[in-house]
Amino acid sequence: MRRIRFVVVVLVSFVVALAASFFSPGTFLNRALSVTLCSVLSLNSTLCKDSLAESPEQVLAANQPTLEIRTRSDDIPKELVLQDENSAFVPPTSALDDSNFGARIQRTMTLLATSTPEHHNTVRILFYGQSITKQDWWIDVANDLKKRFPYADLVIENRAIGGFAAPLLIRPAEHDLYPFYPDLMIFHVYGGDDDYEAIIANVRRRTTSEIAFHSDHITWLPTGTSADDSEKLKTYQWHDYHSTQWLPQLADKYGCELIEIREPWKRYLKDNNLQPQDLLSDGVHLNDHGNFLLASLVKPHLRYNQQSPTNSSKDLVRTYTVGTDVEWKDGRLVLEFEGNRIDAIAAKSTDGNSSQARVLIDGKKPSEFPELYAITRPSDTVGVDWPAIIQVSWEKPLIIEDWTARITEINDDASLFKFEVFGSKTGFDGSGVSDRKFVSNSGRVVIEPSDWWLKSAFELSGKPTPAGFQIKWQVKPMFVDVYVAPKIEDASREYFTTLAQNLSNSKHTLEIIPDKNGVVPIEAFRVYQPPLR
């Protein structure tokens, strides 16, 4: 009898435990049952969402692809959305007035929209900022552009640096941003307004890039009661002001596209009964749902809008056709232009027999202009993907070469160290100590003490920088002294060569002098004139 009672007690306990596992929120069996029911019955209830919301093992329950029906809006029919490891997320409602979306980036969008199988336009897009810009939403936006404009030759890069607010980002922007010379920069950064504006102004002075920046997403919402944390409320109010007042003024001042996401983010949270944390992986950064929402709010602005008013940025880039706007005369091409960059576009065919030519700007070889050399971003620190030196500058003219800074002695926390620098052509160029300004023997390397970033990396990662650690960068030309006609492998594509970039934004004279009698196969010249000086 005792054995029977024992068996009965065990069986009852097992059944109770099993039932509790099924119906207790957060358990594996509960989540598995929820996923099964939600998938089979196509449920979209709060229960289905909440059962997977806050479990550390949620990836186990969400691993299998499922199909769900989502309603995009009242006027769009339901559609099946194939999921992978993430839930399908409800899209935000459409903006009440999107008539001006994309109005200030129409040069870029026109290049994208007018690309055809017979003529591919090259379009350069740079995502720049800090950690929010590095998150996966940008990949969604990039893929969307590639899908919508399959005949454009897109060059898309993300050079954002996590943790670098505007007062820091302005330093490596010298290496990352202006030499890249995008057609469109998509930008977001936190930090001081003065440095934020300085970056925007520099883009306007040194490139013809169109600019789209987005406002700040929601990380916390006030309740409107005395229970609100005063510091959080102060931060919330600052971001509100920055996003809805300061950024619109900045956009108007510099002719930028403002992608206002803050109010739509609030509306999305309210419409879907969500809290700010539901879209975050920590107190600031986005989770998968947050990445989805940010991409969804950015993409509508990246559109070709024929109804947009004339955009002055269209006039910043002009094309001069050989044979129409500029003629061969006395065996050479001469073009007077105004701007800081000029490209040669190769002809598809030519009657001449010369394939290369000397290039002169204002009577000099482009290599004789010190400002036409670009320094690449120095290589990363130990343990963190930050540049080990956030800016390298120069006092004497540069030459095309590779550079290495080698740490020779260093203390544990990298607060003080010694180093030496070598150029691949210059050779050994001096040694220094990290707490003093360094100017190399040749004057081709200048490093301010505050631009070393080894100590900051150690404080974040805890990984020490060893003696012998090397930091590398390059000096690259933004010019050619000799134009060599490229081989045309695809007549639908444009083959361009940048003859000079980063000239003073003023009047110049270009001369193209063939190396022998005849003409070089150049179809046109493209001149870039930044709007500010």
Side-chain angles (χ1 to χ4, degrees):
M1 180 66 67
R2 289 179 180 176
R3 291 181 179 177
I4 294 174
R5 288 175 181 170
F6 177 78
V7 170
V8 170
V9 169
V10 169
L11 288 174
V12 170
S13 299
F14 175 78
V15 170
V16 171
L18 185 63
S21 297
F22 274 121
F23 297 105
S24 296
T27 63
F28 174 80
L29 287 174
N30 171 263
R31 292 192 305 277
L33 179 61
S34 298
V35 169
T36 302
L37 290 174
C38 291
S39 301
V40 172
L41 300 178
S42 297
L43 297 177
N44 188 26
S45 66
T46 302
L47 173 64
C48 288
K49 295 176 185 175
D50 291 347
S51 66
L52 297 174
E54 307 222 354
S55 167
E57 304 93 3
Q58 68 183 42
V59 66
L60 297 176
N63 249 350
Q64 297 300 318
T66 58
L67 288 172
E68 289 197 12
I69 297 176
R70 298 287 186 177
T71 305
R72 292 188 176 272
S73 67
D74 293 337
D75 58 344
I76 299 178
K78 294 181 179 180
E79 65 182 56
L80 290 176
V81 180
L82 179 64
Q83 303 178 86
D84 46 28
E85 58 190 284
N86 303 318
S87 299
F89 303 117
V90 178
T93 57
S94 299
L96 296 177
D97 180 9
D98 64 358
S99 59
N100 287 323
F101 279 18
R104 288 172 168 169
I105 56 171
Q106 281 307 293
R107 178 182 172 271
T108 299
M109 299 315 301
T110 299
L111 288 172
L112 291 170
T114 58
S115 293
T116 66
E118 295 74 32
H119 183 79
H120 297 235
N121 292 317
T122 298
V123 181
R124 296 170 64 81
I125 298 175
L126 179 67
F127 289 81
Y128 202 52
Q130 55 188 117
S131 56
I132 300 301
T133 305
K134 288 186 68 174
Q135 294 202 259
D136 286 349
W137 67 270
W138 81 273
I139 299 174
D140 186 358
V141 173
N143 287 337
D144 177 67
L145 289 172
K146 292 175 183 177
K147 181 179 179 181
R148 286 194 287 136
F149 306 105
Y151 301 115
D153 287 341
L154 277 160
V155 180
I156 303 177
E157 289 192 25
N158 188 324
R159 298 185 176 184
I161 307 175
F164 274 49
L168 291 179
L169 194 68
I170 197 170
R171 303 292 290 169
E174 291 293 330
H175 308 306
D176 299 330
L177 174 50
Y178 318 117
F180 185 77
Y181 214 113
D183 294 296
L184 171 65
M185 178 180 72
I186 298 175
F187 185 68
H188 175 266
V189 74
Y190 294 116
D193 290 349
D194 288 345
D195 292 299
Y196 191 121
E197 181 171 356
I199 293 172
I200 299 301
N202 282 339
V203 173
R204 283 291 188 237
R205 261 185 217 102
R206 298 169 64 176
T207 78
T208 56
S209 175
E210 294 177 312
I211 302 168
F213 48 67
H214 67 81
S215 54
D216 303 338
H217 65 279
I218 300 295
T219 61
W220 179 85
L221 283 172
T223 63
T225 69
S226 59
D228 288 336
D229 181 276
S230 60
E231 287 302 314
K232 288 184 178 180
L233 181 61
K234 183 178 178 181
T235 300
Y236 172 85
Q237 290 171 338
W238 185 90
H239 284 289
D240 258 4
Y241 167 79
H242 177 79
S243 295
T244 62
Q245 296 186 51
W246 188 79
L247 281 179
Q249 293 170 5
L250 189 73
D252 289 341
K253 181 176 180 179
Y254 292 99
C256 304
E257 178 80 8
L258 173 60
I259 304 174
E260 210 298 281
I261 70 165
R262 193 163 178 83
E263 293 304 318
W265 203 284
K266 293 178 187 177
R267 187 164 59 248
Y268 186 86
L269 294 174
K270 181 179 179 180
D271 290 348
N272 293 279
N273 298 314
L274 296 170
Q275 294 299 313
Q277 192 61 40
D278 294 329
L279 274 63
L280 305 176
S281 61
D282 52 29
V284 175
H285 297 96
L286 308 175
N287 61 18
D288 291 337
H289 197 165
N291 276 297
F292 166 82
L293 179 57
L294 182 50
S296 298
L297 295 174
V298 169
K299 286 187 283 189
H301 287 259
L302 306 181
R303 68 172 188 174
Y304 176 53
N305 187 353
Q306 290 179 297
Q307 305 306 315
S308 292
T310 301
N311 190 345
S312 60
S313 69
K314 293 179 181 179
D315 300 325
L316 301 179
V317 181
R318 292 186 172 92
T319 300
Y320 297 86
T321 303
V322 174
T324 302
D325 303 308
V326 55
E327 301 280 355
W328 286 97
K329 185 176 181 181
D330 299 328
R332 64 181 63 192
L333 281 172
V334 179
L335 174 65
E336 293 184 352
F337 68 94
E338 188 169 1
N340 77 339
R341 171 181 165 183
I342 184 166
D343 295 349
I345 303 169
K348 302 299 186 287
S349 62
T350 180
D351 296 330
N353 54 15
S354 178
S355 60
Q356 65 182 43
R358 288 188 295 129
V359 179
L360 297 178
I361 303 286
D362 302 333
K364 299 190 297 185
K365 294 187 296 184
S367 60
E368 296 178 35
F369 290 80
E371 63 270 27
L372 302 192
Y373 295 79
I375 299 174
T376 63
R377 182 201 292 184
S379 55
D380 286 350
T381 63
V382 174
V384 188
D385 57 348
W386 286 339
I389 309 169
I390 63 174
Q391 188 182 106
V392 176
S393 57
W394 50 275
E395 290 184 354
K396 298 293 179 63
L398 300 169
I399 60 174
I400 301 167
E401 62 181 325
D402 299 337
W403 283 93
T404 301
R406 188 172 71 88
I407 307 300
T408 55
E409 298 178 35
I410 187 167
N411 64 4
D412 291 341
D413 66 356
S415 60
L416 187 65
F417 51 88
K418 296 180 179 180
F419 61 93
E420 53 191 14
V421 298
F422 300 84
S424 59
K425 296 178 181 176
T426 302
F428 174 75
D429 206 24
S431 58
V433 182
S434 59
D435 62 351
R436 301 172 205 163
K437 179 178 179 178
F438 175 73
V439 180
S440 70
N441 298 335
S442 69
R444 292 171 180 156
V445 176
V446 177
I447 305 172
E448 298 288 346
S450 59
D451 285 334
W452 290 100
W453 223 243
L454 302 182
K455 183 176 183 293
S456 296
F458 173 78
E459 290 171 347
L460 181 66
S461 71
K463 296 181 179 180
T465 299
F469 181 71
Q470 295 185 349
I471 304 157
K472 296 181 178 294
W473 65 93
Q474 296 176 297
V475 176
K476 292 188 172 182
M478 295 186 286
F479 64 84
V480 294
D481 283 342
V482 176
Y483 173 76
V484 178
K487 181 181 179 181
I488 307 298
E489 297 180 342
D490 183 347
S492 69
R493 287 179 158 81
E494 221 176 51
Y495 291 77
F496 69 91
T497 301
T498 297
L499 304 178
Q501 177 182 311
N502 205 40
L503 294 162
S504 62
N505 187 19
S506 57
K507 292 182 178 180
H508 301 281
T509 300
L510 167 72
E511 293 179 77
I512 299 292
I513 307 168
D515 62 353
K516 54 185 175 180
N517 292 332
V519 298
V520 289
I522 297 177
E523 179 180 284
F525 297 102
R526 187 160 291 145
V527 174
Y528 299 75
Q529 184 181 4
L532 297 184
R533 296 180 184 239

